[in-house]
Amino acid sequence: LIIKNPNVEWSFFTASFLHHLGVHYACITPGARNSPLIYAFTEKSGITCFSHVDERSSAFFALGLAKSTLNPVVVLSTSGTAAANFFPAIIEASLSRVPIIILSADRPKNLVGTGSNQTINQEHLYGNHVRYFKDVGLPLKNMDSLEEILQQAMNYLKGSDLEHPPGPIHLNFPFDEPLLPEDLRTLDISKYSFKASIKNIGNTDDIQILPKSSKPLIVVGPMDNDLQGRGIIKLANRMQAPIMADPLSQFRYGFDNELILAHYDHFLKVVDLKPDLILRFGRKPTSKILCQLLDKWRSRVLLIDAWKQYNDNCPQFIQASIDTYCERQIDFLNWKGDIEWKSLLIFLEKEIENLIHAETGFSEFLIARTCLSSLKEGDQLIIGNSMPIRDIDMFTSTSDVKIKIYANRGASGIDGLISTGLGVAKGKDSQRSLLLIGDLSFYHDMNGLLASQHGMDLTIVVINNGGGGIFSFLPIANTSMDTFSEYWMTNTYLNFKKAADLYKCQYDLIKGIRELKVAIETSFTKRGIKIIEVKTIIADNVKSHHNFQKKVEQILVRY
């Protein structure tokens, strides 16, 4: 007897539609209520699926996979609190504009609020952290309503209307029992064809030509790729405008141009610069001092983005694609900035570069610098939050070696970083990948190491300084509060060797910079997950940072 099952038909239509629109990956966690969707995605969709034990790791893995492939990724869960565990990664995806498709299975609506097991109200579970939410309802014979919902969701996912940038969307799928037929071999699944596609609506806003500027400056914050890189650099060359390039801008590593600056965080604290025109591209930069100065210079700052202003308080905003904006300025600009202005910033950059090169010994910022310098053309660096991203920002130099850089700087949390790193590594299996994180970040997502079963290669450098080292740079550290160590530093006293053994990872304990470089290079010759622990002392790290800043002040005091 050949039968049709509405749950499977509904699920198969969904998986097929998403595959038709270019979705290639799905991260799936176990459950009963989501069985129809699991069956459709794993058996019938053509989508590559990854099995995960827990939802939090699954969502952060999907985040990394979406970032590295620049392709939307599905995360699929059962009903109840399962989908709630996606929330941290969904917040990060929303703020960093990563397209994630959340499919949550659910009980029928008549069971919500009745005390029925594993049943919660899943409508609008993620609030305004998703671009679109829809409860698709119980399966129907006619698929027209489902196709309309899916098409609308995909438009929001990719920011096709230019109103909201790309980001996560949430579709809730109630299923009634029986969830699947007793014998799947009896199923008769229809074949569907789709005409749907994603089309961007062009931006017709007029682009005004920039007025003459003597001291122009370009700031490039975090961006997902460097597709607009050459256009921005061509514009900088035309204007003779120095570029302050965030490490996540995809500009700092891979372009050979003296206008690209990396060490502004140091000299901005000492030298009183007064640019008269600032063009901003990308999201807000990592550097705190640069963000503070952008607020101070706000009347002279223009933010250019293809989507309407999102999560940014820049008062002067121009909605235009970056490529189009740069091309128009290049075609019509007839002025250049003062040579003295450009020369000053290039000089300041070189002064700091010389200071950094003269640094020896053992410090966390030299660990960060060593991690980057160990990478070659096409490699990937995933950076943890708190001190690792700040050390990469402050102490790594521009380079013509193209390194792809990733970090979860949307919400800047320390959760999910191992899973994100594994997702990034899996997305580019052919490339070498290194994750630099702290000991607390490692502990927060240690269970993410289970995803290594999917066969990716990743080197993890863990700076173990016994807790939250970044708090030692804050005023709270100097208040002589007795509970500072217990409630701010929060040392885990974790044995990283045992953690590595638990998850069948290779392990190395490193005691010096040269040893670290050798360990990283050796790790790239091995398959699987390699954990390199580097022990440091927080007090020494604070001292090394302060001493370096004093050197900066001494050589730049006359400027």
Side-chain angles (χ1 to χ4, degrees):
L1 178 66
I2 304 299
I3 63 171
K4 289 184 178 291
N5 179 282
N7 293 340
V8 174
E9 288 277 337
W10 206 238
S11 300
F12 177 62
F13 185 93
T14 299
S16 301
F17 185 93
L18 295 179
H19 186 252
H20 168 72
L21 288 186
V23 176
H24 302 309
Y25 306 100
C27 293
I28 299 173
T29 45
R33 192 63 51 165
N34 57 341
S35 295
L37 285 165
I38 294 177
Y39 174 70
F41 273 87
T42 58
E43 299 289 336
K44 301 293 181 181
S45 69
I47 292 174
T48 300
C49 296
F50 300 96
S51 174
H52 293 268
V53 174
D54 78 276
E55 286 76 15
R56 189 180 78 156
S57 176
S58 179
F60 275 110
F61 183 94
L63 182 73
L65 192 59
K67 286 184 175 187
S68 63
T69 62
L70 300 177
N71 189 272
V73 177
V74 171
V75 289
L76 171 56
S77 78
T78 191
S79 64
T81 60
N85 286 286
F86 289 155
F87 209 167
I90 297 312
I91 292 172
E92 176 60 36
S94 177
L95 295 177
S96 56
R97 307 183 181 193
V98 179
I100 300 292
I101 303 166
I102 310 143
L103 305 181
S104 58
D106 200 358
R107 261 65 172 175
K109 190 169 290 188
N110 64 290
L111 295 181
V112 177
T114 67
S116 181
N117 185 48
Q118 205 169 319
T119 305
I120 65 172
N121 184 350
Q122 296 179 194
E123 293 199 2
H124 300 286
L125 185 61
Y126 309 106
N128 62 2
H129 294 290
V130 292
R131 305 289 186 264
Y132 176 84
F133 166 78
K134 187 71 175 180
D135 185 293
V136 303
L138 289 170
L140 304 171
K141 289 184 178 180
N142 189 319
M143 302 290 179
D144 289 348
S145 63
L146 180 58
E147 182 167 12
E148 184 178 338
I149 290 169
L150 292 169
Q151 177 67 72
Q152 189 172 14
M154 290 298 284
N155 286 335
Y156 276 97
L157 177 86
K158 297 190 175 183
S160 300
D161 61 357
L162 300 179
E163 287 288 319
H164 302 92
I169 56 97
H170 177 201
L171 299 176
N172 194 53
F173 282 78
F175 292 119
D176 212 343
E177 296 180 334
L179 298 170
L180 292 172
E182 292 184 4
D183 188 351
L184 290 171
R185 292 172 298 179
T186 64
L187 278 175
D188 177 28
I189 299 176
S190 304
K191 294 188 180 299
Y192 299 99
S193 59
F194 310 102
K195 297 179 181 179
S197 62
I198 299 295
K199 294 181 180 179
N200 281 355
I201 301 171
N203 188 347
T204 58
D205 289 358
D206 290 333
I207 297 174
Q208 301 297 317
I209 304 304
L210 291 166
K212 180 171 172 42
S213 163
S214 299
K215 298 179 179 179
L217 179 66
I218 293 176
V219 174
V220 187
M223 299 177 74
D224 297 325
N225 56 65
D226 65 349
L227 297 180
Q228 299 89 9
R230 301 197 183 281
I232 293 175
I233 291 174
K234 283 176 66 177
L235 177 58
N237 287 333
R238 173 60 63 89
M239 298 167 61
Q240 288 296 285
I243 303 172
M244 293 184 177
D246 190 272
L248 302 175
S249 66
Q250 317 306 332
F251 273 64
R252 189 180 289 190
Y253 322 110
F255 295 96
D256 184 12
N257 190 300
E258 68 172 358
L259 289 173
I260 300 175
L261 310 178
H263 301 314
Y264 47 85
D265 188 273
H266 296 290
F267 63 71
L268 286 175
K269 296 172 184 175
V270 181
V271 182
D272 184 19
L273 298 178
K274 294 182 172 61
D276 55 14
L277 172 66
I278 303 104
L279 295 183
R280 269 193 58 208
F281 300 97
R283 301 187 294 279
K284 283 196 170 183
T286 302
S287 168
K288 182 178 181 179
I289 183 65
L290 178 54
C291 286
Q292 290 173 338
L293 287 172
L294 287 171
D295 285 338
K296 178 182 176 181
W297 298 332
R298 57 194 294 119
S299 63
R300 290 159 271 172
V301 180
L302 297 176
L303 173 63
I304 295 91
D305 197 1
W307 290 275
K308 285 192 174 179
Q309 194 162 359
Y310 173 79
N311 195 38
D312 201 299
N313 64 344
C314 185
Q316 299 185 81
F317 174 74
I318 298 171
Q319 186 177 7
S321 77
I322 293 175
D323 282 339
T324 301
Y325 184 86
C326 291
E327 287 169 7
R328 181 163 175 81
Q329 299 299 337
I330 291 166
D331 286 343
F332 293 96
L333 273 183
N334 58 5
W335 55 265
K336 292 183 179 180
D338 291 349
I339 187 67
E340 293 83 2
W341 166 253
K342 180 190 79 169
S343 299
L344 171 61
L345 269 67
I346 292 175
F347 170 79
L348 295 173
E349 175 79 3
K350 290 179 178 178
E351 289 287 278
I352 304 300
E353 179 69 16
N354 291 336
L355 276 182
I356 294 175
H357 270 296
E359 285 292 307
T360 58
F362 187 63
S363 64
E364 289 189 15
F365 62 73
L366 288 181
I367 292 171
R369 192 170 170 87
T370 300
C371 285
L372 185 71
S373 66
S374 300
L375 301 177
K376 297 179 179 178
E377 185 80 19
D379 290 348
Q380 303 186 116
L381 177 63
I382 307 101
I383 314 166
N385 284 314
S386 295
M387 286 311 298
I389 183 61
R390 286 168 173 82
D391 283 335
I392 289 288
D393 183 31
M394 292 187 290
F395 292 98
T396 62
S397 308
T398 59
S399 168
D400 59 0
V401 178
K402 187 61 184 174
I403 307 296
K404 191 65 189 290
I405 308 293
Y406 302 90
N408 290 345
R409 291 300 289 175
S412 300
I414 65 169
D415 47 354
L417 294 173
I418 290 176
S419 298
T420 299
L422 291 171
V424 167
K426 189 61 184 177
K428 300 289 186 184
D429 267 335
S430 61
Q431 293 169 305
R432 307 189 310 176
S433 302
L434 187 151
L435 168 63
L436 173 63
I437 55 175
D439 53 318
L440 292 187
S441 297
F442 185 95
Y443 171 74
H444 258 277
D445 195 30
M446 195 164 60
N447 63 324
L449 288 168
L450 280 177
S452 62
Q453 65 184 305
H454 297 299
M456 67 289 289
D457 300 321
L458 178 66
T459 297
I460 304 176
V461 175
V462 184
I463 298 177
N464 182 7
N465 56 21
I470 192 170
F471 298 113
S472 295
F473 288 87
L474 302 180
I476 187 71
N478 301 316
T479 60
S480 301
M481 188 180 294
D482 293 337
T483 55
F484 177 72
S485 178
E486 181 180 1
Y487 289 97
W488 277 269
M489 303 305 291
T490 56
N491 192 341
T492 65
Y493 301 100
L494 189 67
N495 186 317
F496 286 86
K497 174 65 169 63
K498 290 183 178 180
D501 290 342
L502 176 64
Y503 293 98
K504 298 180 174 61
C505 301
Q506 300 164 59
Y507 172 83
D508 247 330
L509 176 62
I510 299 305
K511 298 180 180 179
I513 293 297
R514 289 183 181 178
E515 193 180 349
L516 173 62
K517 193 169 184 66
V518 171
I520 292 173
E521 291 172 352
T522 302
S523 74
F524 287 143
T525 67
K526 301 176 182 179
R527 301 302 306 270
I529 309 303
K530 293 83 60 174
I531 297 171
I532 301 173
E533 179 185 0
V534 189
K535 289 188 175 181
T536 64
I537 299 172
I538 288 177
D540 292 347
N541 183 47
V542 174
K543 184 177 179 180
S544 64
H545 278 76
H546 288 166
N547 286 343
F548 185 85
Q549 189 58 36
K550 288 179 181 178
K551 295 175 185 177
V552 172
E553 292 169 1
Q554 288 170 0
I555 67 165
L556 299 184
V557 66
R558 62 185 183 276
Y559 297 98

